[in-house]
CSV table of all heavy atoms in Angstrom, one decimal:
chain,number,residue,atom,x,y,z
M,483,SER,N,76.8,105.7,109.6
M,483,SER,CA,77.0,106.8,108.7
M,483,SER,C,75.9,106.7,107.7
M,483,SER,O,75.1,105.8,107.6
M,483,SER,CB,78.3,106.9,108.0
M,483,SER,OG,78.4,105.7,107.2
M,484,PHE,N,75.7,107.9,107.0
M,484,PHE,CA,74.5,108.1,106.0
M,484,PHE,C,75.1,107.6,104.6
M,484,PHE,O,76.2,107.9,104.2
M,484,PHE,CB,74.2,109.4,105.9
M,484,PHE,CG,72.9,109.7,105.0
M,484,PHE,CD1,71.8,109.2,105.4
M,484,PHE,CD2,72.9,110.6,103.9
M,484,PHE,CE1,70.5,109.3,104.8
M,484,PHE,CE2,71.7,110.7,103.3
M,484,PHE,CZ,70.5,110.1,103.7
M,485,PRO,N,74.4,106.6,104.0
M,485,PRO,CA,74.9,106.1,102.7
M,485,PRO,C,75.2,107.2,101.7
M,485,PRO,O,74.3,108.1,101.5
M,485,PRO,CB,73.7,105.2,102.2
M,485,PRO,CG,73.0,104.9,103.5
M,485,PRO,CD,73.1,106.1,104.4
M,486,SER,N,76.3,107.1,101.1
M,486,SER,CA,76.7,108.2,100.1
M,486,SER,C,75.8,108.3,98.9
M,486,SER,O,75.5,109.3,98.4
M,486,SER,CB,78.2,107.9,99.7
M,486,SER,OG,78.3,106.7,99.1
M,487,VAL,N,75.1,107.2,98.5
M,487,VAL,CA,74.3,107.1,97.4
M,487,VAL,C,73.0,107.9,97.7
M,487,VAL,O,72.3,108.4,96.8
M,487,VAL,CB,73.9,105.8,97.0
M,487,VAL,CG1,73.0,105.1,98.1
M,487,VAL,CG2,73.2,105.6,95.6
M,488,LEU,N,72.7,108.2,98.9
M,488,LEU,CA,71.4,109.0,99.4
M,488,LEU,C,71.9,110.4,99.5
M,488,LEU,O,70.9,111.2,99.7
M,488,LEU,CB,70.9,108.3,100.6
M,488,LEU,CG,70.3,107.0,100.5
M,488,LEU,CD1,69.6,106.5,101.8
M,488,LEU,CD2,69.3,106.7,99.3
M,489,VAL,N,73.2,110.8,99.6
M,489,VAL,CA,73.5,112.3,99.8
M,489,VAL,C,73.2,113.1,98.5
M,489,VAL,O,72.6,114.2,98.9
M,489,VAL,CB,74.9,112.3,100.1
M,489,VAL,CG1,75.4,113.7,100.3
M,489,VAL,CG2,75.3,111.5,101.5
M,493,TYR,N,68.8,109.1,94.0
M,493,TYR,CA,68.3,108.4,95.1
M,493,TYR,C,68.1,109.3,96.4
M,493,TYR,O,67.5,108.9,97.3
M,493,TYR,CB,68.9,107.1,95.4
M,493,TYR,CG,69.0,106.1,94.3
M,493,TYR,CD1,70.3,105.5,94.0
M,493,TYR,CD2,67.9,105.8,93.5
M,493,TYR,CE1,70.3,104.5,93.0
M,493,TYR,CE2,68.0,104.9,92.5
M,493,TYR,CZ,69.1,104.3,92.2
M,493,TYR,OH,69.1,103.4,91.1
M,494,SER,N,68.7,110.5,96.2
M,494,SER,CA,68.7,111.4,97.5
M,494,SER,C,67.4,112.0,97.6
M,494,SER,O,66.7,112.5,96.6
M,494,SER,CB,69.9,112.4,97.3
M,494,SER,OG,69.8,113.3,98.5
M,622,GLN,N,61.3,110.8,105.3
M,622,GLN,CA,62.7,110.6,105.2
M,622,GLN,C,63.6,111.7,105.6
M,622,GLN,O,64.5,111.6,106.4
M,622,GLN,CB,63.1,110.0,103.9
M,622,GLN,CG,64.6,109.5,103.7
M,622,GLN,CD,64.9,109.0,102.3
M,622,GLN,OE1,64.2,109.3,101.4
M,622,GLN,NE2,66.0,108.2,102.3
M,631,ARG,N,62.5,105.1,109.6
M,631,ARG,CA,62.4,104.7,108.2
M,631,ARG,C,62.0,103.2,107.9
M,631,ARG,O,61.3,103.0,107.0
M,631,ARG,CB,63.9,105.0,107.7
M,631,ARG,CG,64.1,104.7,106.2
M,631,ARG,CD,63.2,105.6,105.4
M,631,ARG,NE,63.4,105.4,103.8
M,631,ARG,CZ,62.8,106.0,102.9
M,631,ARG,NH1,61.7,106.8,103.2
M,631,ARG,NH2,63.2,105.9,101.6
M,635,LEU,N,58.8,102.0,105.6
M,635,LEU,CA,58.8,101.1,104.5
M,635,LEU,C,58.1,99.8,104.8
M,635,LEU,O,57.6,99.2,103.8
M,635,LEU,CB,60.4,100.8,104.1
M,635,LEU,CG,61.2,101.9,103.8
M,635,LEU,CD1,62.6,101.4,103.5
M,635,LEU,CD2,60.7,102.6,102.5
M,648,LEU,N,59.4,97.7,99.4
M,648,LEU,CA,60.5,97.9,100.5
M,648,LEU,C,61.8,97.5,99.9
M,648,LEU,O,62.8,98.2,100.2
M,648,LEU,CB,60.2,97.1,101.7
M,648,LEU,CG,61.1,97.0,102.9
M,648,LEU,CD1,60.4,96.8,104.2
M,648,LEU,CD2,62.3,96.0,102.8
M,649,ILE,N,61.9,96.4,99.2
M,649,ILE,CA,63.2,95.9,98.6
M,649,ILE,C,63.8,97.0,97.6
M,649,ILE,O,64.9,97.3,97.5
M,649,ILE,CB,63.0,94.5,98.0
M,649,ILE,CG1,62.8,93.5,98.9
M,649,ILE,CG2,64.4,94.3,97.2
M,649,ILE,CD1,62.5,92.2,98.4
M,650,SER,N,62.9,97.7,97.0
M,650,SER,CA,63.3,98.7,96.0
M,650,SER,C,64.0,99.8,96.6
M,650,SER,O,64.9,100.4,96.1
M,650,SER,CB,62.1,99.2,95.1
M,650,SER,OG,61.3,100.0,96.0
M,651,TYR,N,63.6,100.2,97.8
M,651,TYR,CA,64.4,101.2,98.5
M,651,TYR,C,65.6,100.7,99.2
M,651,TYR,O,66.6,101.5,99.1
M,651,TYR,CB,63.3,101.8,99.6
M,651,TYR,CG,62.4,102.8,99.0
M,651,TYR,CD1,61.0,102.4,98.8
M,651,TYR,CD2,62.7,104.1,98.9
M,651,TYR,CE1,60.1,103.3,98.2
M,651,TYR,CE2,61.7,105.0,98.2
M,651,TYR,CZ,60.4,104.6,97.9
M,651,TYR,OH,59.5,105.4,97.5
M,652,VAL,N,65.5,99.6,99.9
M,652,VAL,CA,66.6,99.0,100.5
M,652,VAL,C,67.8,98.7,99.5
M,652,VAL,O,69.0,99.0,99.8
M,652,VAL,CB,66.3,97.7,101.3
M,652,VAL,CG1,67.5,97.2,102.0
M,652,VAL,CG2,65.3,98.0,102.5
M,653,GLY,N,67.3,98.4,98.3
M,653,GLY,CA,68.4,98.0,97.3
M,653,GLY,C,69.2,99.2,96.8
M,653,GLY,O,70.1,98.9,96.1
M,654,LYS,N,68.8,100.3,97.2
M,654,LYS,CA,69.5,101.5,96.8
M,654,LYS,C,70.8,101.7,97.6
M,654,LYS,O,71.7,102.4,97.2
M,654,LYS,CB,68.6,102.8,96.8
M,654,LYS,CG,67.5,102.8,95.8
M,654,LYS,CD,66.5,103.9,96.1
M,654,LYS,CE,65.3,103.8,95.2
M,654,LYS,NZ,64.4,105.0,95.5
M,655,THR,N,70.7,101.1,98.8
M,655,THR,CA,71.9,101.3,99.7
M,655,THR,C,72.7,100.0,99.9
M,655,THR,O,73.4,100.0,100.7
M,655,THR,CB,71.3,101.7,101.0
M,655,THR,OG1,70.4,100.8,101.6
M,655,THR,CG2,70.6,103.2,100.9
M,656,THR,N,72.3,99.0,99.3
M,656,THR,CA,73.1,97.7,99.4
M,656,THR,C,73.1,96.9,98.0
M,656,THR,O,72.2,97.0,97.3
M,656,THR,CB,72.7,96.7,100.4
M,656,THR,OG1,73.5,95.6,100.5
M,656,THR,CG2,71.2,96.4,100.2
M,657,SER,N,74.2,96.2,97.8
M,657,SER,CA,74.4,95.4,96.5
M,657,SER,C,74.4,94.0,96.9
M,657,SER,O,74.6,93.1,96.1
M,657,SER,CB,75.7,95.8,95.8
M,657,SER,OG,76.8,95.6,96.6
M,658,SER,N,74.1,93.7,98.1
M,658,SER,CA,74.1,92.4,98.7
M,658,SER,C,72.9,91.7,98.1
M,658,SER,O,71.8,91.8,98.7
M,658,SER,CB,74.3,92.3,100.2
M,658,SER,OG,74.0,91.0,100.7
M,662,LEU,N,69.1,90.9,100.1
M,662,LEU,CA,67.8,91.3,99.5
M,662,LEU,C,67.1,90.0,99.3
M,662,LEU,O,65.8,90.1,99.4
M,662,LEU,CB,68.1,92.0,98.2
M,662,LEU,CG,68.8,93.4,98.3
M,662,LEU,CD1,69.1,93.9,96.9
M,662,LEU,CD2,68.0,94.5,99.1
M,665,MET,N,64.8,88.9,102.0
M,665,MET,CA,63.6,89.8,102.2
M,665,MET,C,62.4,89.5,101.1
M,665,MET,O,61.4,90.2,100.9
M,665,MET,CB,63.9,91.3,102.0
M,665,MET,CG,64.9,91.8,103.1
M,665,MET,SD,65.3,93.6,102.8
M,665,MET,CE,66.4,93.8,104.1
Side-chain angles (χ1 to χ4, degrees):
S483 61
F484 192 60
S486 59
V487 71
L488 298 182
V489 176
Y493 298 138
S494 175
Q622 182 182 16
R631 182 64 171 174
L635 298 180
L648 180 148
I649 292 173
S650 70
Y651 282 98
V652 175
K654 296 171 183 177
T655 59
T656 180
S657 58
S658 172
L662 296 175
M665 298 179 182

